[in-house]
């Protein structure tokens, strides 16, 4: 139902369901993370009139787990990017997750609580988590495309380095670059082009 992208390096789609309407992602080494993107997978929409409040929790030695409201996602806004590096200890507020144990001291959590859109509209996220002004889905897509190109480029060989192998198929790096540039151009023109 949900996914979580951590600073362009780790994508999680296996949220732990801790209650019928609550899901949690674990973020190891959260001290090294600046931003997280929470997104719907597109497989199961929210029920009509519902959305997901997104919370961040980190261990605070003085008070235990601290949960902070980052913002929300809905069927109309299926992804959002949040800045977590500026959050301060002790600034948590009311939250729906209760006291959940964390196994390691450097592990944080991102929680999604399914709530009514009316309730979501009344909540105020922590100000330091300011959602990026760039559409997070577009940004996620661009980062994913860059990652694909960088990954495939790491296997690049010149023709003189290649050894014939009839069972292996090779794709010119230039064709991947052309595809990347074309996809990026189409995303800039219409971020929803892929839906048609």
């Amino acid at each position: 139902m949900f996914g979580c992208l951590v600073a362009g390096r780790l994508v999680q789609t296996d949220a732990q369901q801790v209650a019928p309407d609550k899901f949690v992602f674990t973020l190891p080494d959260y001290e090294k993370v600046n931003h997280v993107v929470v997104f719907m997978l597109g497989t199961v929409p929210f029920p009509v009139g519902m959305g997901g409040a997104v919370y961040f929790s980190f261990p605070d030695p003085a008070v235990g787990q601290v949960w902070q409201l980052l913002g929300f996602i809905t069927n109309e806004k299926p992804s959002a990017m949040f800045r977590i590096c500026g959050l301060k200890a002790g600034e948590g507020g009311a939250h729906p997750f209760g006291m959940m144990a964390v196994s390691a001291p450097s592990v944080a959590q991102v929680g999604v609580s399914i709530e009514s859109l009316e309730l979501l509209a009344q909540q105020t996220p922590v100000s330091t988590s300011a959602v990026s002004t760039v559409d997070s889905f577009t940004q996620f897509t661009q980062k994913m495309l860059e990652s694909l190109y960088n990954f495939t480029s790491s296997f690049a060989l010149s023709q003189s380095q290649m050894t014939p192998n009839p069972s292996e198929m090779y794709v010119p790096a230039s064709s991947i670059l052309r595809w990347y540039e074309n996809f990026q151009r189409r995303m800039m023109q219409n971020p929803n082009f892929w839906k048609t």
Side-chain angles (χ1 to χ4, degrees):
M1 182 175 215
F2 307 108
C4 182
L5 171 67
V6 182
R9 63 185 174 113
L10 175 66
V11 176
Q12 296 182 37
T13 58
D14 57 346
Q16 177 186 3
Q17 188 169 2
V18 295
D21 58 350
K22 292 172 185 42
F23 302 84
V24 174
F25 296 97
T26 301
L27 304 180
D29 299 323
Y30 75 95
E31 300 94 342
K32 300 174 185 172
V33 176
N34 291 325
H35 295 83
V36 295
V37 176
V38 178
F39 55 93
M40 296 179 66
L41 296 176
T43 55
V44 180
F46 285 112
V48 174
M50 303 296 277
V54 179
Y55 291 85
F56 178 69
S57 171
F58 59 95
D60 183 342
V63 295
Q65 282 300 108
V66 175
W67 287 90
Q68 298 180 348
L69 177 65
L70 299 177
F72 63 91
I73 57 175
T74 65
N75 290 336
E76 291 73 34
K77 180 187 160 198
S79 65
M81 176 180 277
F82 304 103
R83 183 173 185 242
I84 62 171
C85 65
L87 300 178
K88 295 183 175 64
E91 290 187 2
H95 61 83
F97 288 93
M99 293 303 293
M100 294 175 42
V102 174
S103 57
S106 68
V107 172
Q109 296 173 314
V110 171
V112 179
S113 175
I114 299 175
E115 301 173 6
S116 73
L117 294 176
E118 290 176 17
L119 182 60
L120 291 176
Q122 297 172 13
Q123 298 176 6
T124 305
V126 290
S127 60
T128 54
S129 72
V131 178
S132 172
T133 55
V134 175
D135 175 53
S136 56
F137 178 74
T138 301
Q139 193 170 30
F140 167 74
T141 304
Q142 288 173 336
K143 293 293 184 187
M144 181 181 67
L145 294 173
E146 288 172 18
S147 176
L148 171 67
Y149 180 74
N150 291 337
F151 176 78
T152 56
S153 294
S154 70
F155 295 97
L157 299 171
S158 67
Q159 280 191 331
S160 63
Q161 295 170 316
M162 293 173 63
T163 55
N165 183 350
S167 64
E168 193 73 45
M169 194 163 83
Y170 293 94
V171 177
S174 60
S175 65
I176 294 173
L177 182 58
R178 276 195 318 272
W179 170 81
Y180 167 75
E181 290 168 347
N182 183 40
F183 195 94
Q184 193 171 30
R185 180 182 47 76
R186 292 180 72 191
M187 279 293 291
M188 293 304 224
Q189 292 172 347
N190 176 11
N192 296 313
F193 84 90
W194 55 272
K195 291 182 179 181
T196 58

